[in-house]
Amino acid sequence: MDDSIYREQIIDLYENPLNYGELDAPDWSYEEDNPLCGDVVRIEVKLGADGRVAEVAWRGDGCAISQASASILTEEIKGLTLEEIRNFDKDHLLELIGVPLSMARVKCALLSLKVLKAGAYGIPDPAHMREDGL
Amino acid sequence: MLDVTKIRANFPILQVEAHPGVPLIFLDSAASSQKPAVVITAMDAYYRQMHANVHRGIYALSEAATSAYEGARAKIARFIHAADPAEVIYVRNATEGFNLVAFAWGRANLEPGDEILLTEMEHHANLVPWQMLAAEKGAVVKYVPFLPDGTLDMDAIPALLTERVKIFSFTAVSNVFGTVNPVKQLVQMAHAVGALAMVDAAQAAPHLPMDVQDWDCDFTAFSSHKMCGPTGIGVLYGKRVLLEAMPPFMGGGDMIRRVTLAGSTWNELPWKFEAGTPAIAEAIGLGTAVDYLIGLGMDEVHAYEQYITTYALEALSEIEGLTLLGPSARQRGGVAAFTMHGLHPHDIAEIVDKDGIAIRAGHHCAMPLHHKLGINASARASFYIHTTTEEVDKLVMSLHRAKKVFRQ
């Protein structure tokens, strides 16, 4: 019985998630669920004057993998630009999670990234706004 | 009581290892049951020795295939005590049975403002087709609530069963709570206000003796794959007078009497509802599964499931932090859905899988039920004729291990 997917870090993050909560006046707030299991993740992001992620918070309800993934992802994107978030590689997130996942559980692991990207694509890129002189 | 050792030898898959060196403990029969060797052999033999299209050829092979296909229908009719095999319509699964009735009967008979009564414990198969029909026809869908113990709120029914209700469709056995509903009484209540009654028998046909004439239901639907038969086939039963009056569901070959360029007329029952080349091998497989269950005796099947479910509910209820959903064993079929404090159902299922144990985690196609309970998901172990007390013990040990992994 190999329980390596439940290594200490995953259980720690499940018990004590990072960046859990909500923001005042985020630049975007987006929520989605995984219809297979009903897991829900909402991610809220506030960009700084430099166009980089200044604050990020998430809320949700789900399995240890989806919840740990949201903590890891929100830690990782601090300081990234909107463009960098849009290009965030899913394999990079899976590497950061660092435990062997079955196909079904990969969906749990990537739910937070799906929510983050959907939110990021839903707002205009401030960099482009500047280029357009707006 | 059923000889479980003998029964286990009938199921080839029970010899398979879940992981190298770890035997399979299959506790997900409510999602789809495993198949006894006789069913697999019958389908194999059909393809090797008998395959031809049915109802078409004049030659001997086609006649043999037709006779096996129709013979299976007669067996199924006897299994559910239908008055006439023509009332047994082959469909893909219970889901298609509901869609057929919603489409063919519903479109012809529903007016704006009419009501469809369901219950809050229904599987999506008995929810979504009616919601689609209601949206199209301007009808209203209402739901009988369930009580905290997972039984229907019988007292709420009279107020909901108004004369505007045209059909009351409900499950015989809940696929989450396991609740065995009082089918006959519910059918009588529907008929008393002039409504039709449709029964979801997907979780009943594999586990209980079924008698559609005693139920007096107007329609019932169930799936082969949950009752030892193959996937891809199921049954819609309907009373002849209703089926006769209904327009077809799908058009095509086999369902017609005469086709001209100006129009077509329909074949007689049951073929009016069976357009195109059907699932012949699957029908023969289902017929064999029915023979297998009749051979065991449905009373015996039910008694064994009561025994193993009672055993499992007692064992599971001793796990601290585990909450069982649904009523006592006396009122339930062979399913035990539960939640555990501090553990998400997905994580529970993943950990017990490492011990070779297959259970379901999620909403089990019953999102409204889970929503009402204030949860997104539950874990569900379901039991069948091959489940042993040792397997239940192993599940309990594995759940204790899951608690340790999650520091509970």
Side-chain angles (χ1 to χ4, degrees):
Chain A
M1 50 189 111
D2 168 21
D3 288 325
S4 59
I5 96 161
Y6 296 112
R7 62 168 209 212
E8 293 289 302
Q9 186 207 1
I10 301 289
I11 306 291
D12 284 344
L13 288 173
Y14 187 54
E15 285 181 351
N16 300 299
L18 306 172
N19 310 314
Y20 197 87
E22 44 198 300
L23 300 180
D24 283 335
D27 285 302
W28 81 81
S29 172
Y30 190 78
E31 176 180 299
E32 209 164 304
D33 58 6
N34 176 351
L36 175 72
C37 54
D39 287 3
V40 188
V41 169
R42 168 179 289 271
I43 297 182
E44 300 184 332
V45 178
K46 205 179 218 171
L47 300 174
D50 58 357
R52 294 179 179 275
V53 173
E55 287 179 71
V56 55
W58 73 276
R59 273 173 295 164
D61 178 24
C63 67
I65 299 301
S66 74
Q67 307 291 285
S69 160
S71 285
I72 292 167
L73 178 66
T74 48
E75 272 300 278
E76 189 67 13
I77 63 161
K78 286 178 183 169
L80 296 191
T81 64
L82 194 57
E83 198 55 31
E84 284 166 338
I85 286 176
R86 287 176 179 173
N87 294 325
F88 198 99
D89 184 13
K90 69 178 167 52
D91 290 329
H92 181 48
L93 178 59
L94 294 175
E95 269 168 37
L96 291 170
I97 296 168
V99 294
L101 296 170
S102 66
M103 268 194 320
R105 300 311 291 276
V106 165
K107 284 198 182 123
C108 307
L110 295 180
L111 176 61
S112 55
L113 183 60
K114 190 175 151 196
V115 168
L116 177 70
K117 285 199 175 183
Y121 275 103
I123 67 158
D125 189 333
H128 291 158
M129 284 158 74
R130 278 191 297 274
E131 280 165 26
D132 295 343
L134 294 167
Chain B
M1 190 141 85
L2 291 181
D3 182 346
V4 181
T5 312
K6 229 162 118 183
I7 287 173
R8 289 181 70 81
N10 297 154
F11 288 82
I13 209 163
L14 298 179
Q15 310 305 316
V16 167
E17 291 180 337
H19 308 289
V22 183
L24 171 68
I25 297 178
F26 188 75
L27 300 180
D28 198 19
S29 294
S32 195
S33 79
Q34 298 300 346
K35 319 303 172 199
V38 284
V39 169
I40 302 164
T41 307
M43 294 174 71
D44 183 73
Y46 163 76
Y47 277 124
R48 287 176 189 278
Q49 296 156 23
M50 209 191 281
H51 174 70
N53 213 333
V54 292
H55 306 141
R56 285 161 178 78
I58 301 300
Y59 48 90
L61 201 60
S62 174
E63 285 193 354
T66 303
S67 152
Y69 176 75
E70 294 301 334
R73 192 192 309 272
K75 288 175 188 178
I76 296 159
R78 280 197 297 277
F79 181 72
I80 63 171
H81 296 90
D84 180 350
E87 296 176 320
V88 170
I89 314 291
Y90 288 130
V91 287
R92 275 193 308 138
N93 42 37
T95 297
E96 189 171 281
F98 288 105
N99 279 278
L100 193 160
V101 175
F103 186 94
W105 174 84
R107 283 180 148 196
N109 289 283
L110 244 59
E111 301 288 338
D114 281 346
E115 294 174 1
I116 298 163
L117 186 60
L118 310 175
T119 85
E120 287 178 345
M121 65 169 75
E122 297 311 315
H123 186 282
H124 297 164
N126 191 24
L127 282 173
V128 182
W130 302 116
Q131 289 176 340
M132 289 163 68
L133 172 67
E136 185 184 321
K137 303 296 286 189
V140 180
V141 185
K142 291 186 166 177
Y143 302 92
V144 177
F146 61 77
L147 299 168
D149 71 350
T151 59
L152 284 181
D153 184 354
M154 299 297 287
D155 295 338
I157 297 177
L160 288 163
L161 257 180
T162 65
E163 301 209 334
R164 301 238 62 172
V165 175
K166 291 292 178 290
I167 191 162
F168 180 19
S169 189
F170 56 89
T171 190
V173 179
S174 158
N175 72 317
V176 181
F177 294 135
T179 318
V180 178
N181 286 321
V183 174
K184 203 171 163 174
Q185 187 186 351
L186 295 170
V187 170
Q188 280 170 356
M189 292 170 97
H191 288 171
V193 297
L196 298 185
M198 178 158 190
V199 181
D200 178 352
Q203 299 292 345
H207 308 291
L208 305 166
M210 226 175 117
D211 186 333
V212 293
Q213 293 187 78
D214 183 55
W215 280 355
D216 195 27
C217 58
D218 299 290
F219 301 105
T220 185
F222 51 94
S223 295
S224 154
H225 72 92
K226 291 189 201 288
M227 53 188 293
C228 299
T231 56
I233 193 152
V235 169
L236 170 70
Y237 159 86
K239 283 182 179 166
R240 180 182 262 279
V241 59
L242 292 166
L243 294 173
E244 298 271 17
M246 279 157 60
F249 177 40
M250 286 198 253
D254 221 24
M255 54 75 71
I256 43 80
R257 182 184 305 279
R258 186 178 173 79
V259 178
T260 68
L261 294 181
S264 307
T265 55
W266 317 134
N267 200 343
E268 58 194 64
L269 292 176
W271 307 290
K272 179 171 93 177
F273 293 105
E274 294 177 6
T277 295
I280 306 166
E282 287 77 3
I284 291 167
L286 173 57
T288 310
V290 161
D291 282 340
Y292 178 77
L293 289 171
I294 290 173
L296 297 176
M298 288 310 290
D299 285 317
E300 293 286 309
V301 166
H302 180 53
Y304 184 74
E305 284 183 19
Q306 287 270 290
Y307 160 76
I308 196 76
T309 305
T310 305
Y311 182 88
L313 292 181
E314 272 172 25
L316 290 169
S317 63
E318 280 168 19
I319 299 175
E320 210 182 311
L322 184 148
T323 306
L324 281 160
L325 312 180
S328 68
R330 207 163 33 83
Q331 257 184 295
R332 79 152 86 197
V335 306
F338 56 91
T339 57
M340 286 172 82
H341 179 71
L343 277 89
H344 188 276
H346 260 193
D347 296 315
I348 299 171
E350 173 110 24
I351 292 174
V352 303
D353 171 62
K354 295 293 186 288
D355 294 326
I357 304 172
I359 63 168
R360 179 100 182 250
H363 49 60
H364 325 305
C365 295
M367 288 174 88
L369 180 155
H370 284 85
H371 184 74
K372 175 162 173 171
L373 296 174
I375 53 180
N376 283 338
S378 62
R380 181 186 71 185
S382 52
F383 318 111
Y384 208 16
I385 42 182
H386 47 66
T387 309
T388 64
T389 52
E390 291 76 19
E391 289 180 319
V392 173
D393 293 342
K394 283 187 183 160
L395 170 67
V396 169
M397 278 169 53
S398 193
L399 292 174
H400 279 296
R401 202 170 63 70
K403 281 178 65 173
K404 279 211 191 80
V405 172
F406 273 77
R407 304 169 190 160
Q408 293 293 322

